[in-house]
């Protein structure tokens, strides 16, 4: 009845995956924005740090996978960014930093690159 080429199905899968990634990054930006507004001691900060850290651990794991089809250099750059974000969220968790804006700025750049 319906016939799709493998390339069409694969492209749809990539587009859907990118849209899910954009949604997750948008959610992280919203959490980080609330955390920035309400301070390090807020529940918003705890939620943002937890979510962003888990999100980027997952992204880094995916990027490090040999099955990931992104170009090697792009993967390496994104892994470096991910490691920085994970370290920065840990610094925030330990109250050594309040650099929510830095993570927000990088997240916006990454999100916008997923178009």
């Amino acid at each position: 009845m319906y016939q799709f080429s493998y390339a069409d199905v694969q492209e749809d899968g990539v587009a859907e995956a990118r849209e899910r990634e954009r949604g997750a990054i948008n959610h992280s930006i919203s959490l980080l924005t609330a955390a920035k507004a309400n301070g390090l001691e807020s529940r918003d900060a705890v939620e943002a740090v937890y979510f962003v850290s888990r999100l980027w651990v997952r992204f880094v794991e995916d990027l490090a996978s040999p099955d990931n089809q992104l170009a090697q250099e792009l993967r390496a750059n994104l892994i470096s960014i991910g490691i920085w974000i994970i370290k920065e969220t840990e610094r925030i968790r330990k109250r050594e930093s309040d650099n929510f804006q830095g993570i927000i700025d990088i997240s916006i750049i990454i999100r916008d690159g997923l178009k």
Side-chain angles (χ1 to χ4, degrees), residues 10-66:
Q10 187 176 19
E11 185 60 35
D12 287 346
V14 170
E16 289 172 9
R18 283 213 171 116
E19 191 55 39
R20 284 191 305 272
E21 291 167 349
R22 281 178 55 80
I25 293 172
N26 274 332
H27 184 64
S28 74
I29 292 167
S30 295
L31 292 172
L32 289 163
T33 301
K36 179 183 173 194
N38 296 316
L40 283 174
E41 302 294 328
S42 69
R43 177 154 179 86
D44 292 322
V46 172
E47 289 177 12
V49 165
Y50 181 72
F51 182 84
V52 171
S53 178
R54 286 185 50 220
L55 177 65
W56 278 95
V57 164
R58 178 66 188 108
F59 282 164
V60 168
E61 287 172 350
D62 181 61
L63 290 162
S65 168

Side-chain angles (χ1 to χ4, degrees), residues 52-108:
V52 171
S53 178
R54 286 185 50 220
L55 177 65
W56 278 95
V57 164
R58 178 66 188 108
F59 282 164
V60 168
E61 287 172 350
D62 181 61
L63 290 162
S65 168
D67 295 333
N68 190 297
Q69 295 180 4
L70 290 177
Q72 184 78 20
E73 184 177 354
L74 177 58
R75 288 172 44 199
N77 289 338
L78 289 170
I79 287 170
S80 294
I81 291 167
I83 291 169
W84 178 82
I85 289 174
I86 293 164
K87 286 181 179 180
E88 198 62 21
T89 57
E90 182 63 13
R91 289 185 67 231
I92 292 169
R93 187 188 69 76
K94 291 180 176 180
R95 309 295 193 266
E96 296 171 357
S97 173
D98 64 352
N99 190 17
F100 294 110
Q101 190 60 53
I103 301 172
I104 291 167
D105 293 342
I106 296 298
S107 297
I108 290 170

